[in-house]
Amino acid sequence: METMVELDGLSKHFGPFVAVDGINLKVSKGEVLGFLGPNGAGKSTTMRMVAGFLTPTAGTAKVCGHDVASDPVQVKSLLGYMAEGSPSYEDMTVRAFLTFIAEVRGLSGQAAQARIEEVVTKIKLEDVIDRPIDVLSKGYKRRVGLAQAILHDPPVLILDEPTDGLDPNQKHHVRTLIEDMAAEKAIIVSTHILEEVEAVCTRAVIIGNGKLLADGTSEELLRNLPEHNAVHVVVAPEVASDAATKLQGATNVSDATQVTRDDGTTEIQCAPTNGADILVAVGAVLRDNSIPYSQLYKNRGDLDAVFRQITAGGSTDA
Amino acid sequence: MRNLWIIAKRELYGYFTTPMAFVFIAIFVAMTGAFTFYIGRFFDRGQASLETFFSFHPWLYLLLVPAVAMRLWSEERKSGTIEQLLTLPITTTDAVLGKFMAAWLFCGIALLSTFPIWVTVSYLGDPDHGVIGLSYIGSFLMAGAFLSIGACMSALTRNQIIAFIAAAAVCFVFTMSGLDLVLNFFRAWAPLFLVDVIAASSFLVRFESVTRGVIEFRDVVFFLSMMAFWLFATTVAVDAKKAA
């Protein structure tokens, strides 16, 4: 796979404060990388350095082989960047703003207008194209930010919290847009919303205190959780202790703990040995012993838990 | 060059979609008129010249040019659009020059809007049109110098009021620097050559000859190098302060 973005020891200090501390990262074409981390972890600072807005204190950031420090204009022309909160010139109409962006990006006249039409249709901005940006809703403003980022069809897209403040329908729409573009581009998306990572990202990194703490697919990240692949069985309280003892003996089950649920039933949580898949084994034990149960499910664990586990203590507002 | 014009166009769009441009031009024209006719006693002088008209320009600029310049960078930083602007494929210098160009052009438009006074004086008498033309050019150059100072102050703060006051203060020093009011302050402690430099960089002294229709080459160089210096300082300030 072709490497499109390459960060090597990228660091940023603001006086004595270390915002980003030696991040190494590669993003290839076809990847959608989720950038996770608590507020203040250094996500935006990292993105701003790649986008050429901030100058790194140390390390390099390369986009398609061009170093942002020595060749910023080239890097900026290869990038589509949507800053946090998608700030745009609010006194302009959507059309005027996008025309300005198109001109700076080297499109003009007919070609520019045709491309603007295309993007506006894709992002569903037709209804507001002649309205000033300052009267638009948050959702539309965010979409204007997205429109300016993809206007020149860049090979690399960096989106800082693209779905922040959108309603569920709008979020879904933005995610669909990202998925549609994913094959042709390298995309970096920062987000707080962990379900989003599972929905659109092929890979995720977790940043805390300016350091890269974890890097992998969401499946790989989930594997670190103790509760990953645990199997939960809900049974009546009178059969609970018998069932727990039997389940304890199932293949690859390291532990079976009983928890009384609010409705009076008992949940037996079977923890796997080394994250093994124990659903079949647990099912077999239940069937062989004719233990009646009302629910049986495998817990994948969620990214929220991974996030908390990895960044706990890292930041107070996580 | 293409980039400069694109940036400048956007900036001008910003001026003219709000009432700001029209308010500014109206006040500028009204004030030049008021100063020329009432304080300058245009009719009583009985001369077919615009010397009095131009002699008030430094004072008007002192108030009005910082008002044009104050939003140039402060607003970009305050609203966060500076991040949008500087992640486009342009250099900081493009952005600084483009925005300055727009503001200067805008001042030029305001200056041109005073043409009725030229028409008036031509109707009443037979003025030296060469002198008036040159004075307009000189006034335009001086506006650019004031503006470049304002742009730099605007790049240093995200607060437009502070940008305005700082720009007005620095412009005041440069306007008055040929006079004892300013020079005495420096004479007390600065070496003689510095006092001479300050005295020589007075806008008022430079502009005095311009109002008589004399633009010396060194005056042009003076105003242009003022702009070059302050715009360079603006570029440095924008780069240093953009993320703050």
Side-chain angles (χ1 to χ4, degrees), chain B residues 60-214:
Chain B
L60 277 173
Y61 287 162
L62 199 52
L63 179 70
L64 293 176
V65 171
V68 175
M70 68 180 187
R71 59 185 289 280
L72 276 178
W73 290 100
S74 304
E75 193 173 82
E76 294 267 356
R77 273 177 59 199
K78 183 136 196 164
S79 65
T81 47
I82 190 167
E83 191 169 351
Q84 170 79 68
L85 182 67
L86 297 181
T87 52
L88 291 171
I90 55 167
T91 62
T92 308
T93 312
D94 286 343
V96 166
L97 292 181
K99 283 168 85 70
F100 171 77
M101 217 164 84
W104 200 16
L105 215 60
F106 176 70
C107 287
I109 294 169
L111 196 56
L112 283 180
S113 309
T114 62
F115 77 93
I117 211 157
W118 193 347
V119 175
T120 306
V121 79
S122 309
Y123 175 76
L124 293 173
D126 184 22
D128 186 334
H129 293 290
V131 168
I132 294 176
L134 280 178
S135 300
Y136 264 110
I137 292 170
S139 178
F140 183 58
L141 282 171
M142 185 171 64
F146 274 103
L147 256 183
S148 61
I149 292 173
C152 185
M153 297 303 135
S154 178
L156 288 171
T157 169
R158 58 167 63 210
N159 184 322
Q160 293 196 28
I161 308 292
I162 295 176
F164 175 82
I165 292 173
V170 176
C171 289
F172 181 77
V173 169
F174 275 98
T175 306
M176 301 290 286
S177 67
L179 305 181
D180 285 341
L181 173 70
V182 171
L183 289 181
N184 282 341
F185 172 75
F186 288 99
R187 277 191 189 118
W189 53 272
L192 191 62
F193 85 92
L194 188 63
V195 175
D196 285 343
V197 167
I198 293 165
S201 53
S202 165
F203 286 14
L204 212 54
V205 173
R206 298 276 168 190
F207 192 63
E208 212 166 35
S209 58
V210 172
T211 56
R212 292 192 305 268
V214 185

Side-chain angles (χ1 to χ4, degrees), chain A residues 94-238:
Chain A
V94 175
R95 189 191 298 279
F97 177 64
L98 293 179
T99 306
F100 162 65
I101 299 289
E103 287 184 352
V104 177
R105 296 283 187 189
L107 295 160
S108 57
Q110 286 294 314
Q113 291 311 317
R115 179 63 189 158
I116 289 170
E117 284 306 319
E118 195 182 322
V119 168
V120 159
T121 314
K122 197 171 181 179
I123 305 212
K124 298 187 181 150
L125 281 169
E126 302 99 322
D127 297 342
V128 298
I129 183 147
D130 287 312
R131 282 200 223 153
I133 295 172
D134 59 359
V135 305
L136 299 184
S137 70
K138 207 171 177 184
Y140 273 123
K141 282 183 186 170
R142 205 52 47 91
R143 276 190 262 175
V144 171
L146 198 58
Q148 65 80 23
I150 65 168
L151 198 61
H152 54 301
D153 196 19
V156 179
L157 259 186
I158 297 184
L159 308 172
D160 200 348
E161 303 196 1
T163 58
D164 181 43
L166 302 188
D167 69 33
N169 290 334
Q170 294 168 332
K171 277 183 191 166
H172 179 75
H173 179 225
V174 169
R175 286 175 201 163
T176 315
L177 283 171
I178 292 175
E179 278 173 341
D180 288 348
M181 294 185 292
E184 296 304 310
K185 300 183 195 304
I187 306 179
I188 302 178
V189 181
S190 82
T191 180
H192 285 298
I193 309 159
L194 297 162
E195 60 178 83
E196 199 156 285
V197 176
E198 297 215 61
V200 297
C201 299
T202 56
R203 194 177 130 209
V205 295
I206 297 180
I207 293 183
N209 281 344
K211 289 193 176 70
L212 201 67
L213 300 176
D215 182 350
T217 62
S218 54
E219 196 58 40
E220 285 164 356
L221 295 177
L222 289 171
R223 221 170 275 160
N224 295 322
L225 284 174
E227 65 263 38
H228 179 61
N229 275 351
V231 171
H232 297 221
V233 188
V234 178
V235 296
E238 48 276 18

Side-chain angles (χ1 to χ4, degrees), chain A residues 39-59:
Chain A
N39 291 325
K43 301 189 298 282
S44 291
T45 306
T46 306
M47 292 180 143
R48 284 171 160 186
M49 283 192 279
V50 182
F53 183 60
L54 292 179
T55 315
T57 310

